[in-house]
Amino acid sequence: MATLFCKRRLFNVIRRIVQNRSLCSMSVSSGRKSVNGVDLFYQQTGKGDHSVLLLPGALGSGQTDFAPQLDKLDKRRFTVVAWDPRGYGHSRPPVRDFPIDFFHRDAKDAVDLMQALGFSRFSLLGWSDGGITALIAAALNPALIRKMVVWGSNAYVSEQDVQIYNAIRDTSLWSERMRQPMEKMYGAQYFRETWERWVDGICQFKSRPEGNICKELLELIDCPTLIVHGAKDPMVPSFHPEYLLQNIRSSRMHVMPEGKHNLHLRFATEFNSLVEAFLSE
């Protein structure tokens, strides 16, 4: 019974995420840049002096994951860029794959894209997988990163995480309303197959010592870092943001009591205000 209840909670969260993703669209400039052998799609808005890169979650894109940020972050203070990682969103081809270094590959792509766009220093806002990518990018490029905000992210994979991921592996068990936005973006087959590959890709870290993704890199991060956690996030147990807080210098944590995994979409006004204040300090 407890397992069934947990699965229902996870499915409810995914349903809300994909519903919010389906509603997220607005008019912003967009383009493509050839980076590391891939044509990466990006969206850009604002004319501010402080440049910010938005990094989406698993199978996410700027269009699906960050509409409230592209729309509402202060365009006078910030220049906001959202990107689609290789194999996601409009950065296809290639077909997305998940080698053991896929987070490091995404981190290099993201930083190289920003430099190709002419941004010499910038801040990072990373959600879920995008937060992991941001952690790696900040650690390996300290001279380029001004500040960082991460939420729904983890530096290692625990046995509890593996159980969570496997509980949502089979997309045929998702409701049609949950599947439809992602199938609209990718087509049913690509979405199903890529989601299954993502589950395998994230679970492979459990076979590494201590389930390590990027634990050894956290001590290299020296930019001011805000860790945001939704107290009701069933996808990311609270020990993950607490670990980041303990191991990243110049970091602090803000807990949103009603926040779940998609807190930046569900509570966009509160989240945007929090981020703007942090980036402007």
Side-chain angles (χ1 to χ4, degrees), residues 31-42 86 91 93 108-109 112-117:
R32 299 178 186 276
K33 278 285 185 182
S34 180
V35 176
N36 300 325
V38 177
D39 287 335
L40 294 177
F41 180 85
Y42 67 92
R86 62 171 67 204
S91 292
K108 178 172 174 52
D109 283 350
D112 290 352
L113 171 64
M114 290 298 280
Q115 293 190 302
L117 292 174

Side-chain angles (χ1 to χ4, degrees), residues 3-276:
T3 300
L4 179 60
F5 176 73
C6 289
K7 284 188 176 182
R8 285 175 176 169
R9 286 187 64 202
L10 291 169
F11 286 148
N12 284 336
V13 168
I14 291 178
R15 174 177 57 80
R16 294 189 184 99
I17 290 172
V18 296
Q19 284 174 344
N20 280 321
R21 281 175 163 179
S22 69
L23 295 173
C24 293
S25 63
M26 77 294 295
S27 177
V28 297
S29 64
S30 62
R32 299 178 186 276
K33 278 285 185 182
S34 180
V35 176
N36 300 325
V38 177
D39 287 335
L40 294 177
F41 180 85
Y42 67 92
Q43 296 169 284
Q44 183 173 328
T45 188
K47 299 292 184 180
D49 294 333
H50 193 148
S51 303
V52 179
L53 175 63
L54 310 178
L55 300 99
L59 277 72
S61 66
Q63 175 183 335
T64 58
D65 286 16
F66 290 116
Q69 287 68 52
L70 286 164
D71 189 30
K72 297 296 186 181
L73 285 176
D74 190 338
K75 294 174 173 56
R76 297 165 300 176
R77 286 189 282 170
F78 305 108
T79 296
V80 181
V81 178
W83 80 309
D84 295 4
R86 62 171 67 204
Y88 287 171
H90 299 289
S91 292
R92 293 177 288 147
V95 171
R96 179 70 184 200
D97 62 352
F98 300 92
I100 194 66
D101 66 343
F102 73 89
F103 284 119
H104 282 73
R105 182 182 64 186
D106 284 348
K108 178 172 174 52
D109 283 350
V111 170
D112 290 352
L113 171 64
M114 290 298 280
Q115 293 190 302
L117 292 174
F119 299 108
S120 58
R121 292 192 75 222
F122 48 92
S123 292
L124 303 173
L125 269 64
W127 176 36
S128 196
D129 274 22
I132 300 173
T133 301
L135 294 171
I136 296 170
L140 298 181
N141 303 276
L144 302 180
I145 308 305
R146 295 178 62 172
K147 293 188 175 184
M148 176 169 59
V149 183
V150 295
W151 65 105
S153 305
N154 47 298
Y156 63 95
V157 172
S158 70
E159 183 59 41
Q160 183 176 343
D161 297 317
V162 171
Q163 293 173 8
I164 291 170
Y165 304 143
N166 280 318
I168 55 175
R169 171 190 292 271
D170 187 353
T171 58
S172 71
L173 300 178
W174 298 19
S175 70
E176 182 178 354
R177 192 162 66 171
M178 290 167 58
R179 292 195 307 269
Q180 193 274 335
M182 300 300 276
E183 290 180 347
K184 182 178 179 180
M185 168 68 78
Y186 291 111
Q189 181 177 352
Y190 188 91
F191 166 55
R192 181 182 67 254
E193 293 176 352
T194 307
W195 184 262
E196 290 176 354
R197 288 197 299 270
W198 173 79
V199 172
D200 291 336
I202 193 69
C203 287
Q204 70 183 315
F205 292 101
K206 184 63 178 68
S207 65
R208 302 179 75 179
E210 299 181 322
N212 182 43
I213 300 175
C214 60
K215 294 173 70 172
E216 77 284 359
L217 297 180
L218 300 183
E219 66 180 17
L220 302 179
I221 298 172
D222 60 11
C223 65
T225 299
L226 176 62
I227 302 158
V228 184
H229 179 60
K232 296 184 177 181
D233 186 348
M235 296 288 294
V236 179
S238 61
F239 53 76
H240 283 305
E242 290 168 358
Y243 183 87
L244 297 180
L245 180 65
Q246 293 166 5
N247 288 276
I248 299 175
R249 296 189 304 272
S250 301
S251 68
R252 64 180 189 255
M253 184 160 67
H254 178 88
V255 177
M256 297 178 65
E258 298 300 317
K260 296 184 180 179
H261 197 59
N262 62 338
L263 56 85
H264 67 298
L265 301 174
R266 177 67 179 82
F267 301 103
T269 300
E270 178 183 353
F271 177 84
N272 287 355
S273 295
L274 179 70
V275 166
E276 287 179 347

